[in-house]
Amino acid sequence: VTLAERSLAAVADHIKSGKARRIVVMTGAGISTAAGIPDFRSPETGLYANLAALNLPEPEAVFDLDFFKKNPKPFYVLAKDLYPGTFHPTVSHVFISLLASKGLLAQLFTQNIDCLERTAGIPGELIVEAHGSFASQRCIDCKTPFPDDKMREHVARAEVPRCIRSEADGDDRCDGLVKPDIVFFHEALPSLFYERRGLTETADLALVLGTSLSVHPFAGLPDMVPEPVPRVLFNMERVGSLGTQADDVLVLGDCDTGVRKLADALGWRDELEAKWRE
Ligand code: OAD
């Protein structure tokens, strides 16, 4: 399939003609900025530019396991701003949900930890949360799960939770640090990521939205999509190898605007807006 014209209209035709039935979507923090959640690397507004007050050796230390063991407080200051529960999915999330409801979504790979994919109604089995999420948490030493309600209270006060395992349970007291099941640097990605990443090789269309593609192994996913399968980038800036293959389409600018244009070209715009307002 050659996209003679590198445009959204050509992408829409590819979908409407029935040639794209196994769409793989890859996302990052940029799809959630419109929901009010900062991304990481945008120069002025990104979290890494705004961590100076926390006296970190470098901004990424906030997600570094060795640093967390020595000083967990900065992570919990950040967690207070990122914690799910008060945010509403964006038009981009809802568009992915629309693809799922039309049976066209083969898999969504997200780096986001905000759980907005599930909130937007994308079925759990179609989501790979490659960097984990805030949905659960446990002790980093003995792995004892920590209750959700207690976690919410701790995060709201930016307090570091400690393991609940005690002598009363017939065990030794633990008191280890509790951490959400988010993938920190030096930690393995969930096995589901490795089980499912091969789906990028069988995709008939790839959409990449809101990511700087700077963290591996996630950043390698778009390169697994075989030519000449079209890859479409919805992002503020050009990233990774997107734009180097003949059938790549670059939709630069904010992703909700780009997605709305694609929905227009597909004749899905009213459905998209209605679902977004639900
Ligand atoms: P980044 O902050 O690195 O990149 C976000 C990308 O989205 C940038 O290219 C922005 O230009 C773009 N962007 C921002 N707002 C946008 C908008 N409204 N529309 C379109 N594009 C927009 O975020 P990620 O790529 O997700 O790890 O970062 C990857 C990982 O680095 C994260 O998962 C996180 C971090 O360390 C963990 O949380 C473990």
Side-chain angles (χ1 to χ4, degrees):
V1 183
T2 297
L3 289 188
E5 199 189 340
R6 288 177 154 204
S7 70
L8 276 180
V11 176
D13 285 345
H14 187 62
I15 297 173
K16 281 194 285 189
S17 69
K19 287 176 193 146
R21 294 162 182 272
R22 301 185 45 75
I23 304 177
V24 169
V25 181
M26 301 153 227
T27 60
I31 70 159
S32 292
T33 52
I37 304 170
D39 69 4
F40 297 93
R41 295 180 182 79
S42 281
E44 308 270 315
T45 53
L47 283 167
Y48 291 157
N50 290 293
L51 290 173
L54 297 179
N55 279 323
L56 297 165
E58 71 272 325
E60 285 84 354
V62 76
F63 290 121
D64 185 297
L65 196 57
D66 294 328
F67 181 82
F68 180 82
K69 286 175 185 166
K70 283 180 273 175
N71 185 5
K73 184 76 181 175
F75 171 77
Y76 278 96
V77 171
L78 182 92
K80 195 169 184 279
D81 286 342
L82 293 183
Y83 205 64
T86 54
F87 302 108
H88 193 269
T90 66
V91 168
S92 296
H93 290 103
V94 173
F95 181 81
I96 303 164
S97 182
L98 207 56
L99 289 177
S101 66
K102 292 178 186 295
L104 302 175
L105 181 68
Q107 195 72 49
L108 166 64
F109 294 90
T110 182
Q111 295 164 94
N112 297 348
I113 52 180
D114 54 33
C115 301
L116 284 182
E117 301 85 3
R118 300 181 215 190
T119 314
I122 302 167
E125 68 270 18
L126 295 181
I127 308 172
V128 171
E129 292 172 327
H131 293 167
S133 85
F134 273 111
S136 56
Q137 53 282 319
R138 67 200 67 247
C139 169
I140 61 169
D141 295 328
C142 75
K143 312 295 177 201
T144 300
F146 188 81
D148 295 346
D149 52 342
K150 279 197 177 167
M151 185 67 177
R152 205 166 295 116
E153 288 168 22
H154 276 81
V155 171
R157 296 193 297 259
E159 270 173 27
V160 180
R162 293 276 177 172
C163 186
I164 52 169
R165 200 185 76 181
S166 67
E167 283 153 37
D169 301 329
D171 284 313
D172 294 335
R173 188 157 181 271
C174 176
D175 205 40
L177 293 166
V178 171
K179 172 180 116 13
D181 294 331
I182 290 169
V183 178
F184 277 28
F185 295 115
H186 314 306
E187 281 193 305
L189 270 62
S191 56
L192 194 63
F193 174 82
Y194 296 99
E195 285 160 27
R196 299 278 174 86
R197 69 174 170 175
L199 287 169
T200 51
E201 293 164 356
T202 59
D204 45 27
L205 176 64
L207 308 180
V208 180
L209 301 95
T211 173
S212 63
L213 291 180
S214 45
V215 177
H216 285 274
F218 191 98
L221 287 179
D223 296 327
M224 293 174 68
V225 179
E227 271 196 275
V229 172
R231 306 184 303 175
V232 189
L233 175 71
F234 297 88
N235 210 51
M236 289 297 192
E237 50 179 356
R238 208 180 72 72
V239 294
S241 67
L242 275 296
T244 62
Q245 295 184 4
D247 289 309
D248 288 349
V249 176
L250 301 180
V251 187
L252 301 184
D254 96 83
C255 53
D256 288 352
T257 302
V259 158
R260 281 186 160 116
K261 283 188 191 147
L262 178 56
D264 278 335
L266 283 162
W268 297 358
R269 181 66 185 273
D270 291 345
E271 205 181 345
L272 176 68
E273 301 293 342
K275 201 172 164 90
W276 182 55
R277 281 196 209 92
E278 259 171 28

